[in-house]
C-alpha cells in the first residue's frame, strides 16, 4: 500500500545531548578514536549491531538510555571534549591556506569524481580498493584544508554482501540502504524542497536528488535516481554498484559525469579543477563543453580548450581490457545530441573516444576519452606509470615511450583511519600527534620510532593479533549460524586460530591475476609449514569476487575445500563479507601481509601500506607500491621483479620462492625470542616498516602531490583560460587549428654536425639545422636534439631532449643551433625533432604532433 504522505522522523534527543547529532553527521568520527569511543560508550551492543552507524544508533536507542547518559557527568564531559575536537579540527586546517593564500579570493574548488567512495562501514557504497582510496582522498583533503568536493552516486543496494554456501561457493545478498538512517542529508533548495537535477536520456528525462555526506571539512555530493517520476528502470540506475549489463553501466556513467556537472552547477560552486578518478565519469567533459557552447557562445574547439585546461584523469588500471568500452551505436544513441550541439559528424564525435580515430568500427573507450579531455594524466605507482605509458603510447605516435605524458602519483592510505587505536596512542606518545600527516621532510618525527621500547610495541601488537582471533571466531560463528550449519561446525569455529601463532593475512578482490591460491600450489609443502609443531603458521584470508567472475569464485571455493580436506580449519580461515572494518582488524592483527599478484598487474595496492603503518611486515611480489618501497628493511620480496611469458612456470617459480622465504627467513625470525619472549629482530623490522613506509605511503603526501602537481596548476589554467571572456581559449583553439593545417608542410632540410663519428667523452659537438616552417612562426615550434645510447635494435633508448636556440632565418628557412656532449662511452645516438610550442599548452606533446629528422 502506497502512503498518501511521508514523514522524515528524526531522533528525539535531549537538548543536553544535541552535540551527539552534530558528531554523528560528520564522518570525522570515523578517524577520531575519542568520538568512536563516545558512541561505543553510549551503547556498545547497539554500536556493533548498527554497524558503527551513529545516526541509526541515535534513531533506535531507548529514551531511557539517553536520559541516563544525559545525567552522567562523565559522559557529558566526554561528549563535550569530542565536540570541541571536531570544532577545532574544522577551523584549524592550515596547509592549503599556507600554500594558496592569495588564491583563496578566487574561491577555487576542486571536484573529485568517483564511481565509489569507501569511507566507513556504515556507508556500504564501495566495492574495494578504488573506493577506499577515494574515501581516503577526501579524508586527507579535509586534513589539509583543501577546497575539494566529492561527486558520486548513492547506491540503494550498494555493492553486494558476501556469504558462502555449504560448498564454499560465494553467494550474494543486496541489503537495502536506508538513506534516512545513514550519516547523510538530502540537499535542499532555499525554500526547503529537495534539490533535484535532470539528465536527458533518449525519449525521456531522468531526475536525481542530491545527498550530502560531510567528511570533515569536505562535502561529498551523491546522486540518487530512486525517486518519482522516474520509471522503474531509471529508478534502478543508482541501484547497485557495478551491477547490471552494459546498458545500465552507460546509464550510470552518464548520470555520474553529466549529472554530476549539472549538480555542481545547481549548487553554484565555482569549480576550477576537475579530477576523474578512473574513466567512469568522463562524460562530464561533454556536459561542460555543452554549457560553454550554449551559455557562453564558444565554438566546440574553444570549449574543448577550457575543459582540457582544467581536467585531469587518474587511471588505476594496468591492462587495456579493464577500461570501459561502449559500442559506437550505443554512444550515439545516448549521447548523439551532443554531436549536434558541437557541430560534429558522427565519426568526428566518436573519434573523441577511439584509440584509432580512423577505425570506424572501434568502440568508444572511456579512458581514451578521459585522456583526450585532460591536461594531466597519472597512474598510481611508479611502476604503474611505466605500464600506463606503454598502454597509451599509441595515442602519441612517434613519441618515445618514456616521454608519453602520463606521470605517476603513488597511492597512499589515511593513517588515522587504518592504524589501530592502541597503536595510534603509542605513536602519539612517542612521535607526537602530528605523525599522521608528517612526511619524509620531517625525519626527526619518524626517527623517534626507534625510541619506542621493543616490549611496548610488541605487547600492543600481540593484543591486536588476539583481537583479530576473537573477531574471526565470533564472525565465523555468526556466518555459520546464518547459513544453518551443524552444531559441530559452529563449535569448531569457536576454536579456530591461535593468538600466539605467526599469522599471515591475505585480503583483496578475488580476481585471478591476484593469485589468492598461489600459497597452496604445493599442498604438501604448505601443510608441512603450517603444521610445524615448534613454529606453526596460520593464514587469515578474505575478499570478494565480482558476482560474474566465476574463476574468482572458484578460488574462494578452493581455499575452503583445502581447509576441510587437509584438516586445516584451525590454521586457515576464510572470513566472508570483507569490508572496511574487517580490513582494519586484519592489517593491525596479522604479523605478515602477503600479496602475490602477477606482475605488473597490480596498479598500486594499498592494503599492504595499511599493514605497514601498523608495523606489520609485507611479503609480496615486487608489484605496485611494494616495487618502490624499501622491501629489504621492511619486509620480503617474492622474486626479483621478473616477468614471464609462461604463467604456469611463473606460478611454480614464485610459489617456491614464497615457501623458501617462509622457511628460511620469515618463520625463524618470528620465533627467535629472547628471555622476555620478545622477538628482537622481528620488532626491529617492524620499526623499520613504520619508519620508512609511513611517511611515504600516506594520503597526506599523496594529496599534497595531487595539489602541487595538478590541482593548483589546473586551477590557475582554468582562471587564465576564462579571462577576458575566454579570449585565451579562443586564441589557443585558433592556434591549434593553424598548427594542424601547417604541420605536415614542415621540413627539416638539413642537419650539420661539427664532429666526425668518433668523439671523446664530454667532447663538445656543435649542431646546426635548417627548418622550413611553412606558414608557422619560430615561436610556434620547439626544435630539439634527442641524444642517448643505442640498443641492439639500433634505437636510441632513454633519450634526453635538448632545446636548440633560434638564430634567425636565411629566407624561408629557420636556423637553430645547439652544442651537446656525451658523458659516457659506447655507441651513442643523436636525432632531431620539431614539436609544437605555445605558452598555454600543458605540455609540448598535448597535440600529439612530432616531426623527426630522417637519415639523409
Amino acid at each position: 500500500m502506497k502512503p498518501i504522505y511521508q514523514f522524515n522522523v528524526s531522533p528525539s534527543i535531549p537538548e543536553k545531548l544535541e552535540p551527539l547529532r552534530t558528531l554523528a553527521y560528520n564522518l570525522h568520527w570515523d578517524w577520531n578514536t575519542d568520538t568512536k569511543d563516545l558512541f561505543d560508550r553510549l551503547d556498545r551492543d547497539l554500536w556493533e549491531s548498527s554497524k558503527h552507524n551513529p545516526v541509526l544508533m541515535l534513531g533506535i536507542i531507548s529514551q531511557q538510555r539517553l536520559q541516563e547518559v544525559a545525567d552522567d557527568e562523565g559522559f557529558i564531559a566526554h561528549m563535550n571534549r569530542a565536540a570541541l575536537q571536531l570544532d577545532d579540527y574544522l577551523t584549524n586546517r592550515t596547509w592549503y591556506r599556507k600554500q594558496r593564500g592569495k588564491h583563496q579570493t578566487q574561491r577555487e574548488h576542486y571536484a573529485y569524481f568517483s564511481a565509489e567512495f569507501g569511507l566507513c562501514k556504515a556507508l556500504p557504497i564501495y566495492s574495494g580498493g578504488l573506493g577506499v582510496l577515494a574515501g581516503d582522498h577526501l579524508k586527507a583533503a579535509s586534513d589539509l584544508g583543501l577546497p575539494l568536493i566529492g561527486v558520486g552516486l548513492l547506491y540503494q543496494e550498494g555493492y553486494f554482501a558476501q556469504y558462502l554456501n555449504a560448498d564454499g561457493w560465494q553467494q550474494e545478498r543486496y541489503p537495502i540502504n536506508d538513506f534516512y538512517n545513514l550519516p547523510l542529508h538530502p540537499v535542499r533548495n532555499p525554500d526547503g524542497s529537495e534539490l533535484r537535477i535532470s539528465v536527458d536520456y533518449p525519449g525521456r528525462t531522468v531526475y536525481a536528488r542530491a545527498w550530502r555526506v560531510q567528511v570533515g571539512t569536505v562535502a561529498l555530493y551523491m546522486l540518487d535516481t530512486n525517486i518519482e517520476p522516474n520509471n522503474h528502470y531509471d529508478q534502478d540506475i543508482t541501484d547497485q554498484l557495478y551491477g547490471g549489463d552494459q546498458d545500465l553501466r552507460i546509464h550510470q556513467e552518464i548520470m555520474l559525469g553529466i549529472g554530476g556537472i549539472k549538480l555542481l552547477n545547481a549548487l553554484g560552486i565555482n569549480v576550477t579543477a576537475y579530477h576523474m578518478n578512473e574513466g567512469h565519469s568522463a562524460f562530464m567533459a561533454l556536459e561542460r563543453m555543452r554549457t560553454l557552447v550554449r551559455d557562453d557562445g564558444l565554438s566546440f574547439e574553444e570549449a574543448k580548450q577550457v575543459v582540457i585546461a582544467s581536467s585531469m584523469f587518474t587511471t588505476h588500471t594496468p591492462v587495456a581490457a579493464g577500461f570501459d568500452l561502449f559500442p559506437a551505436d550505443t554512444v550515439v544513441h545516448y549521447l548523439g545530441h551532443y554531436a549536434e550541439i558541437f557541430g560534429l559528424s558522427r565519426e568526428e564525435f566518436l573519434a573523441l573516444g577511439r584509440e584509432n580515430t580512423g577505425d570506424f568500427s572501434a568502440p568508444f573507450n572511456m579512458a581514451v576519452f578521459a585522456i583526450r579531455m585532460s591536461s594531466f594524466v597519472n597512474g598510481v605507482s611508479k611502476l604503474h606509470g611505466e605500464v600506463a605509458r606503454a598502454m597509451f603510447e599509441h595515442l602519441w605516435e612517434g613519441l618515445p615511450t618514456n616521454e608519453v605524458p602520463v606521470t605517476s602519483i603513488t597511492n597512499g592510505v589515511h593513517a588515522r583511519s587504518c592504524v589501530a587505536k592502541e597503536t595510534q596512542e603509542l605513536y602519539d606518545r612517542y612521535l607526537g600527534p602530528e605523525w599522521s600527516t608528517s612526511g619524509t621532510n620531517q625525519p626527526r618525527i619518524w626517527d623517534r620510532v626507534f625510541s619506542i621500547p621493543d616490549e611496548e610495541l610488541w605487547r600492543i601488537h600481540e593484543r591486536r593479533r588476539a583481537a583479530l582471533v576473537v573477531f574471526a571466531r565470533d564472525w565465523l560463528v555468526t556466518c555459520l549460524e546464518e547459513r544453518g550449519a551443524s552444531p559441530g561446525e559452529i563449535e569448531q569455529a569457536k576454536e579456530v586460530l591461535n593468538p600466539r601463532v605467526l599469522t599471515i593475512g591475505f585480503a583483496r578482490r578475488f580476481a585471478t591475476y591476484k593469485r589468492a591460491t598461489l600459497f597452496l600450489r604445493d599442498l604438501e609443502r604448505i601443510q608441512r609449514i603450517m603444521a610445524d609443531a615448534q613454529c606453526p603458521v596460520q593464514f587469515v584470508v578474505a575478499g570478494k569476487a565480482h558476482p560474474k567472475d566465476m574463476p574468482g569464485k572458484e578460488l574462494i571455493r578452493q581455499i575452503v575445500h583445502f581447509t576441510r580436506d587437509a584438516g586445516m580449519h584451525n590454521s586457515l580461515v576464510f572470513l566472508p563479507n570483507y569490508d572496511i572494518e574487517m580490513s582494519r582488524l586484519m592489517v593491525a592483527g596479522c604479523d605478515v601481509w602477503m600479496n602475490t599478484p602477477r606482475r605488473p598487474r597490480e596498479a598500486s595496492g594499498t592494503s599492504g601500506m595499511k599493514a605497514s603503518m601498523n608495523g606489520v611486515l609485507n611479503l609480496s611480489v615486487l608489484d605496485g607500491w611494494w616495487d618502490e618501497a624499501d622491501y629489504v628493511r621492511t619486509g620480503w620480496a617474492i622474486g626479483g621483479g621478473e616477468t614471464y611469458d609462461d604463467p604456469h612456470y611463473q606460478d611454480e617459480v614464485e610459489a617456491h620462492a614464497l615457501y623458501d622465504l617462509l622457511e628460511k627467513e620469515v618463520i625463524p625470525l618470528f620465533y627467535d625470542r629472547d628471555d622476555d619472549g620478545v622477538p628482537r629482530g622481528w620488532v626491529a623490522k617492524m620499526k623499520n616498516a613504520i619508519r620508512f613506509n609511513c611517511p611515504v605511503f600516506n594520503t597526506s603526501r599523496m594529496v599534497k602531490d595531487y595539489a602541487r602537481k595538478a590541482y593548483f596548476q589546473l586551477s590557475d589554467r582554468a582562471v587564465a583560460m576564462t579571462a577576458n571572456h575566454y579570449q585565451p581559449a579562443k586564441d589557443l583553439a585558433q592556434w591549434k587549428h593553424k598548427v594542424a593545417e601547417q604541420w605536415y608542410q614542415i621540413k627539416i632540410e638539413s642537419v650539420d654536425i661539427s664532429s666526425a663519428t668518433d668523439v671523446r667523452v664530454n667532447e663538445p659537438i656543435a649542431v646546426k639545422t635548417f627548418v622550413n616552417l611553412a606558414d608557422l612562426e619560430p615561436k610556434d615550434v620547439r626544435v630539439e636534439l634527442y641524444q642517448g645510447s643505442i640498443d641492439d635494435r639500433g634505437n636510441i633508448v632513454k633519450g634526453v631532449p635538448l632545446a636548440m636556440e633560434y638564430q634567425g632565418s636565411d629566407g624561408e628557412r629557420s636556423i637553430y643551433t645547439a652544442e651537446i656532449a656525451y658523458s659516457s662511452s659506447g655507441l651513442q645516438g643523436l636525432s632531431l625533432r620539431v614539436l609544437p610550442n605555445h605558452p598555454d599548452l600543458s605540455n609540448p606533446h598535448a597535440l600529439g604532433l612530432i616531426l623527426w629528422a630522417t637519415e639523409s
Side-chain angles (χ1 to χ4, degrees):
M1 179 63 67
K2 291 277 189 180
I4 62 170
Y5 199 80
Q6 296 183 6
F7 302 90
N8 180 22
V9 182
S10 301
S12 178
I13 299 175
E15 186 176 350
K16 201 173 182 180
L17 298 177
E18 268 303 315
L20 288 176
R21 195 191 308 269
T22 303
L23 291 167
Y25 277 100
N26 191 314
L27 293 191
H28 177 252
W29 57 257
D30 183 62
W31 68 97
N32 182 282
T33 57
D34 210 20
T35 310
K36 271 189 171 179
D37 287 347
L38 177 71
F39 287 115
D40 184 73
R41 178 177 181 174
L42 180 59
D43 191 319
R44 175 164 296 179
D45 291 340
L46 204 52
W47 178 242
E48 293 300 329
S49 65
S50 68
K51 298 181 180 178
H52 296 188
N53 179 354
V55 173
L56 175 60
M57 186 178 176
L58 292 177
I60 60 179
I61 194 169
S62 70
Q63 293 299 126
Q64 179 184 348
R65 178 55 183 161
L66 288 174
Q67 194 56 54
E68 286 175 2
V69 296
D71 296 333
D72 182 339
E73 292 181 1
F75 184 89
I76 296 299
H78 189 170
M79 178 189 70
N80 290 336
R81 183 173 69 248
L84 284 172
Q85 288 172 355
L86 176 60
D87 185 61
D88 178 68
Y89 175 88
L90 296 176
T91 55
N92 290 302
R93 306 295 95 202
T94 61
W95 184 84
Y96 167 76
R97 290 202 296 270
K98 291 176 181 177
Q99 301 294 315
R100 298 282 284 181
K102 65 180 182 179
H103 295 273
Q104 291 185 76
T105 56
Q106 300 170 358
R107 301 292 297 166
E108 63 183 2
H109 291 90
Y110 317 138
Y112 182 86
F113 282 66
S114 183
E116 53 173 306
F117 288 91
L119 291 156
C120 61
K121 184 181 180 71
L123 280 172
I125 53 171
Y126 61 93
S127 72
L130 178 70
V132 175
L133 186 279
D136 280 3
H137 196 110
L138 300 194
K139 292 174 182 178
S142 172
D143 291 342
L144 299 171
L146 226 62
L148 192 82
I149 300 156
V151 181
L153 300 178
L154 184 60
Y155 303 98
Q156 190 77 61
E157 296 182 2
Y159 203 50
F160 68 91
Q162 176 197 55
Y163 68 99
L164 305 184
N165 66 16
D167 188 45
W169 190 257
Q170 174 183 292
Q171 306 285 294
E172 297 87 28
R173 280 193 297 261
Y174 291 88
I176 301 297
N177 288 321
D178 179 3
F179 299 155
Y180 291 97
N181 276 313
L182 292 176
L184 45 82
H185 287 292
V187 181
R188 299 195 179 277
N189 294 307
D191 64 1
S193 61
E194 289 182 340
L195 189 152
R196 296 188 175 192
I197 58 98
S198 61
V199 176
D200 290 334
Y201 287 79
R204 68 201 193 280
T205 298
V206 178
Y207 298 90
R209 62 181 163 190
W211 297 81
R212 173 175 173 147
V213 178
Q214 198 61 40
V215 187
T217 63
V218 169
L220 166 60
Y221 293 97
M222 294 183 288
L223 293 170
D224 158 32
T225 64
N226 189 18
I227 55 173
E228 295 181 347
N230 293 338
N231 63 41
H232 181 73
Y233 183 89
D234 293 339
Q235 288 180 8
D236 287 346
I237 290 174
T238 56
D239 200 22
Q240 295 177 6
L241 171 62
Y242 305 142
D245 56 14
Q246 191 177 61
D247 191 65
L248 180 61
R249 177 63 71 91
I250 197 170
H251 275 77
Q252 289 184 332
E253 297 191 6
I254 288 170
M255 183 55 65
L256 174 60
I258 294 173
I261 293 298
K262 291 194 169 207
L263 172 61
L264 292 173
N265 291 338
L267 292 167
I269 298 173
N270 178 41
V271 177
T272 51
Y274 295 81
H275 187 170
M276 293 172 273
N277 188 41
E278 266 305 344
H280 308 112
S281 60
F283 289 139
M284 71 158 72
L286 299 178
E287 180 59 20
R288 290 187 63 203
M289 290 188 290
R290 184 198 69 82
T291 302
L292 291 164
V293 170
R294 283 285 176 92
D295 297 351
D296 296 298
L298 300 188
S299 69
F300 166 70
E301 289 296 334
E302 292 165 351
K304 188 165 75 167
Q305 308 319 312
V306 177
V307 169
I308 291 173
S310 54
S311 298
M312 65 172 291
F313 168 56
T314 297
T315 175
H316 299 255
T317 307
V319 289
F323 298 126
D324 280 339
L325 305 176
F326 294 115
D329 289 343
T330 300
V331 173
V332 171
H333 176 67
Y334 286 106
L335 299 163
H337 57 287
Y338 281 96
E340 296 174 15
I341 294 169
F342 299 154
L344 301 178
S345 69
R346 168 192 165 97
E347 300 307 330
E348 287 172 331
F349 179 68
L350 291 170
L352 295 172
R354 279 176 167 160
E355 294 185 66
N356 180 354
T357 58
D359 182 358
F360 293 169
S361 64
F364 192 94
N365 186 313
M366 293 297 284
V368 169
F369 180 52
I371 288 171
R372 292 206 174 113
M373 294 294 108
S374 297
S375 55
F376 185 91
V377 181
N378 72 283
V380 290
S381 70
K382 289 178 182 177
L383 179 59
H384 181 233
E386 295 175 14
V387 171
R389 285 188 287 276
M391 272 198 302
F392 296 124
E393 63 181 342
H394 57 279
L395 300 180
W396 289 271
E397 188 176 353
L399 188 64
T401 303
N402 66 303
E403 290 189 86
V404 169
V406 177
T407 186
S408 64
I409 293 178
T410 300
N411 282 344
V413 295
H414 189 251
R416 293 285 182 183
S417 295
C418 68
V419 176
K421 178 192 171 186
E422 280 185 285
T423 310
Q424 286 192 44
E425 292 169 348
L426 179 75
Y427 296 168
D428 288 343
R429 285 197 301 276
Y430 288 96
L431 312 185
E434 300 302 316
W435 65 269
S436 61
T437 55
S438 297
T440 54
N441 62 332
Q442 294 167 297
R444 290 179 61 187
I445 289 177
W446 293 107
D447 285 342
R448 294 173 194 155
V449 167
F450 301 115
S451 70
I452 300 174
D454 289 358
E455 295 83 358
E456 196 170 355
L457 179 60
W458 181 245
R459 299 309 174 207
I460 285 175
H461 178 67
E462 286 194 308
R463 288 196 290 272
R464 298 321 310 157
R465 190 193 313 116
L468 173 61
V469 170
V470 170
F471 167 79
R473 292 171 177 175
D474 290 346
W475 182 239
L476 285 175
V477 167
T478 299
C479 294
L480 289 169
E481 288 175 343
E482 289 179 353
R483 199 190 77 202
S486 68
E489 282 184 277
I490 293 171
E491 287 303 311
Q492 194 178 71
K494 294 177 181 179
E495 301 297 327
V496 300
L497 304 177
N498 184 327
R500 293 176 296 280
V501 166
L502 171 61
T503 304
I504 299 176
F506 180 98
R508 50 198 21 91
R509 184 165 53 90
F510 266 69
T512 52
Y513 78 86
K514 293 180 182 282
R515 298 191 296 178
T517 57
L518 184 69
F519 76 108
L520 299 179
R521 187 167 183 85
D522 186 334
L523 294 178
E524 288 186 11
R525 191 171 179 186
I526 193 62
Q527 283 181 254
R528 192 166 62 247
I529 290 171
M530 294 171 68
D532 186 280
Q534 300 301 317
C535 302
V537 178
Q538 59 193 13
F539 289 83
V540 180
V541 181
K544 297 178 178 180
H546 188 277
K548 296 180 181 178
D549 184 1
M550 298 306 152
K553 291 184 176 184
E554 175 59 25
L555 293 178
I556 295 173
R557 196 185 73 86
Q558 288 174 14
I559 290 171
V560 173
H561 276 247
F562 169 73
T563 64
R564 294 174 182 169
D565 298 343
M568 306 298 292
H569 49 267
N570 284 344
S571 303
L572 170 58
V573 297
F574 182 89
L575 300 179
N577 207 28
Y578 185 57
D579 64 8
I580 284 178
E581 207 60 38
M582 188 187 297
S583 165
R584 291 171 181 174
L585 288 163
M586 288 184 65
V587 297
C590 290
D591 301 294
V592 173
W593 198 255
M594 184 176 67
N595 189 21
T596 51
R598 196 180 300 284
R599 177 185 164 106
R601 298 285 299 276
E602 185 83 281
S604 173
T606 52
S607 61
M609 299 176 187
K610 296 170 187 172
S612 208
M613 283 205 169
N614 283 279
V616 173
L617 306 182
N618 275 267
L619 173 61
S620 175
V621 169
L622 289 175
D623 201 3
W625 79 280
W626 191 235
D627 187 62
E628 61 193 82
D630 187 340
Y631 48 80
V632 175
R633 285 189 287 184
T634 70
W636 297 271
I638 301 171
E642 302 88 353
T643 55
Y644 297 82
D645 293 328
D646 183 347
H648 298 291
Y649 177 68
Q650 179 182 9
D651 291 350
E652 191 71 18
V653 169
E654 292 181 344
H656 285 287
L658 169 62
Y659 299 142
D660 286 345
L661 283 169
L662 288 172
E663 292 171 335
K664 298 175 182 178
E665 297 189 38
V666 179
I667 298 170
L669 188 65
F670 180 83
Y671 284 106
D672 181 15
R673 309 295 173 94
D674 65 8
D675 292 340
D676 296 321
V678 178
R680 301 287 173 177
W682 189 274
V683 173
K685 215 168 177 70
M686 288 177 68
K687 289 182 178 180
N688 283 339
I690 299 163
R691 168 62 183 87
F692 297 109
N693 289 332
C694 287
V696 179
F697 301 106
N698 65 74
T699 43
S700 179
R701 184 274 313 155
M702 180 191 80
V703 173
K704 285 177 183 177
D705 282 352
Y706 276 113
R708 290 171 174 146
K709 296 179 181 180
Y711 295 159
F712 296 166
Q713 295 180 33
L714 292 174
S715 191
D716 290 344
R717 279 202 293 270
V719 172
M721 279 287 163
T722 56
N724 192 22
H725 303 292
Y726 300 99
Q727 193 57 49
K730 295 174 182 177
D731 293 343
L732 182 59
Q734 186 176 14
W735 176 84
K736 283 186 175 182
H737 179 72
K738 178 182 74 170
V739 169
E741 277 193 332
Q742 296 295 318
W743 190 256
Y744 296 101
Q745 308 305 315
I746 298 174
K747 292 183 175 60
I748 300 171
E749 297 195 347
S750 67
V751 181
D752 298 334
I753 300 175
S754 64
S755 301
T757 55
D758 293 323
V759 297
R760 295 183 180 275
V761 170
N762 293 327
E763 178 183 334
I765 303 170
V767 183
K768 183 177 183 180
T769 186
F770 296 86
V771 182
N772 187 328
L773 296 177
D775 288 337
L776 296 180
E777 300 177 47
K779 68 178 181 179
D780 295 328
V781 300
R782 177 183 176 91
V783 179
E784 295 178 339
L785 294 176
Y786 188 77
Q787 64 181 108
S789 57
I790 296 178
D791 66 10
D792 57 355
R793 297 182 179 180
N795 297 317
I796 296 175
V797 292
K798 297 181 180 178
V800 177
L802 173 69
M804 303 186 76
E805 293 184 9
Y806 174 64
Q807 303 293 348
S809 66
D810 67 348
E812 292 185 350
R813 302 187 305 173
S814 295
I815 304 169
Y816 294 84
T817 63
E819 188 175 88
I820 65 165
Y822 290 96
S823 59
S824 58
S825 60
L827 192 61
Q828 304 286 337
L830 177 68
S831 190
L832 184 145
R833 66 191 189 183
V834 182
L835 295 164
N837 181 61
H838 191 281
D840 289 334
L841 285 181
S842 58
N843 68 77
H845 311 302
L847 272 69
L849 297 173
I850 187 168
L851 176 65
W852 290 92
T854 55
E855 240 182 311
S856 56

